[in-house]
Amino acid sequence: MTTLLHTADELHTRVRHGRRTVVMTMGALHEGHATLIRDARSIAGDEGEVVVTVFVNPLQFGAGEDLDRYPRTLDADLKIAEQAGADVVFAPSVDEVYPGGEPRIRISAGPMGERLEGASRPGHFDGMLTVVAKLLHLTRPDVALYGQKDAQQLALIRRMVRDLNFGVEIVGVPTVREDDGLALSSRNRYLAPDERYTALTLSRALFAGRDRHAAQEALRARAREVPSTHARAEALSALGESRAAADAHAVAKAVPGGPSAVRAAARLVLDEAAHLDPPLVLDYLALVDPSDFTEISDDFTGEAVLAVAARVGTTRLIDNLPLSFGAPEPVDPYGAAS
């Protein structure tokens, strides 16, 4: 049975066996959270302990945001946490987390925290990192798990833990989606049926970008298979394949990795959604390097994140997909001659 605790002293008096894993939430748990808890259970094992925190952090909400209407469903959260394998739900009060009122000293997210979500929600990431730091100290875990849907948040937590020498392992868990593709979020419950239809555009745009990327990577792979020697090119010509080979090379080399084309494919879907009823009001679409959340160039290679944020009615939603851009095309020693 899952134990509900409200103070750090109660948590600290528990006898620990094995590793303690922590899943931090603001409550209103759904299947995305349950997935995190199940993964935490797997990491902790039978001898370890899974702690789920439920705390609506006021420092993460700016002026005009939805702190007051943010759903608080502790009884239902307890049931979901227990079914997913949690040993403890730690639900502290604001006074327990901030006993002297709002902290005068906070964690600064730095330049990465001022981009994308940080630009749209000034101060949000400072508040997020401050409460994560506090909850890491209060819960004292060996491993903490966070969802990749909040990709910028995850990147900042990893950076904080590394830069400030927190003795905890950070694990990212892939985004959980509903059957129609919408990323699971506590804010989805705010959407009316027509708003939900519009909101699906976020995931459709990401999938369009992903599909364009996959098509380009397939062309790059095809180009790499095409022989580059004159003798083998002549053999291909005899088989009638030289035009196809040339086309594959041309497309693959014209957009090496294709970040611009990926952005364009996603933006086309989002632009069309601006004319729906209700419309999608785009905040940002970005294809970024996850190490610092700066936009990548067309010659970029490595892991990237395609991220989007938008409003539908009064509800603001975010989503993202990871993409991997391959190595540049090898230089063809015979390609320079005409």
Side-chain angles (χ1 to χ4, degrees):
M1 182 174 180
T2 300
T3 301
L4 175 63
L5 302 177
H6 294 287
T7 70
D9 287 343
E10 292 174 314
L11 186 58
H12 296 166
T13 58
R14 289 178 64 86
V15 177
R16 295 178 60 167
H17 301 285
R19 295 204 292 177
R20 174 178 285 174
T21 58
V22 166
V23 174
M24 296 182 185
T25 82
M26 291 206 298
L29 301 190
H30 49 63
E31 181 57 28
H33 297 111
T35 299
L36 285 164
I37 297 167
R38 287 192 291 267
D39 283 4
R41 178 80 272 161
S42 178
I43 292 171
D46 294 338
E47 297 299 319
E49 183 179 56
V50 177
V51 177
V52 176
T53 70
V54 175
F55 180 66
V56 181
N57 178 33
L59 301 189
Q60 290 176 235
F61 292 81
E65 293 190 333
D66 56 358
L67 173 61
D68 291 338
R69 73 167 184 150
Y70 196 87
R72 290 157 172 85
T73 57
L74 184 58
D75 289 342
D77 294 343
L78 274 169
K79 292 178 182 178
I80 293 174
E82 183 170 11
Q83 291 169 356
D87 298 297
V88 175
V89 168
F90 177 52
S93 66
V94 173
D95 288 339
E96 177 72 13
V97 178
Y98 303 120
E102 289 195 7
R104 297 185 181 183
I105 296 177
R106 308 187 186 194
I107 303 290
S108 170
M112 187 176 10
E114 297 171 358
R115 299 172 186 135
L116 300 187
E117 283 297 290
S120 298
R121 307 175 66 189
H124 166 73
F125 285 127
D126 291 355
M128 179 276 294
L129 290 178
T130 298
V131 79
V132 167
K134 295 217 47 159
L135 289 173
L136 287 175
H137 290 314
L138 291 172
T139 59
R140 302 173 183 174
D142 300 290
V143 182
L145 296 87
Y146 302 89
Q148 292 179 357
K149 184 177 82 72
D150 297 295
Q152 193 171 4
Q153 169 179 287
L154 175 59
L156 284 163
I157 291 171
R158 282 178 164 151
R159 173 64 69 176
M160 177 185 73
V161 165
R162 182 168 61 250
D163 287 356
L164 301 184
N165 300 102
F166 281 69
V168 61
E169 178 186 353
I170 302 300
V171 173
V173 177
T175 300
V176 178
R177 299 184 180 277
E178 300 193 40
D179 292 341
D180 57 10
L182 188 66
L184 280 172
S185 169
S186 300
R187 292 185 169 92
N188 290 355
R189 66 185 67 193
Y190 299 153
L191 298 169
D194 56 346
E195 291 175 334
R196 184 184 176 88
Y197 178 82
T198 298
L200 288 172
T201 307
L202 272 74
S203 55
R204 289 205 304 267
L206 295 178
F207 298 156
R210 178 197 61 190
D211 292 346
R212 176 64 61 85
H213 172 64
Q216 290 177 321
E217 288 299 306
L219 284 171
R220 287 165 56 82
R222 170 66 176 144
R224 285 192 291 269
E225 294 173 0
V226 176
S228 56
T229 65
H230 288 302
R232 299 183 76 179
E234 289 174 359
L236 277 173
S237 181
L239 293 172
E241 295 184 7
S242 58
R243 178 57 183 272
D247 288 347
H249 269 305
V251 175
K253 291 183 177 181
V255 191
S260 291
V262 170
R263 291 187 189 94
R267 183 169 289 278
L268 180 62
V269 176
L270 296 169
D271 287 346
E272 292 174 350
H275 303 291
L276 294 175
D277 183 19
L280 185 87
V281 181
L282 183 64
D283 189 344
Y284 62 76
L285 171 69
L287 184 54
V288 298
D289 182 338
S291 68
D292 59 8
F293 271 71
T294 57
E295 291 280 354
I296 65 172
S297 60
D298 276 344
D299 60 358
F300 178 87
T301 60
E303 300 304 312
V305 173
L306 181 62
V308 63
R311 287 189 180 276
V312 181
T314 60
T315 303
R316 186 175 184 276
L317 300 169
I318 64 172
D319 201 352
N320 71 82
L321 278 179
L323 296 175
S324 181
F325 289 84
E329 287 293 314
V331 175
D332 182 352
Y334 297 96
S338 59

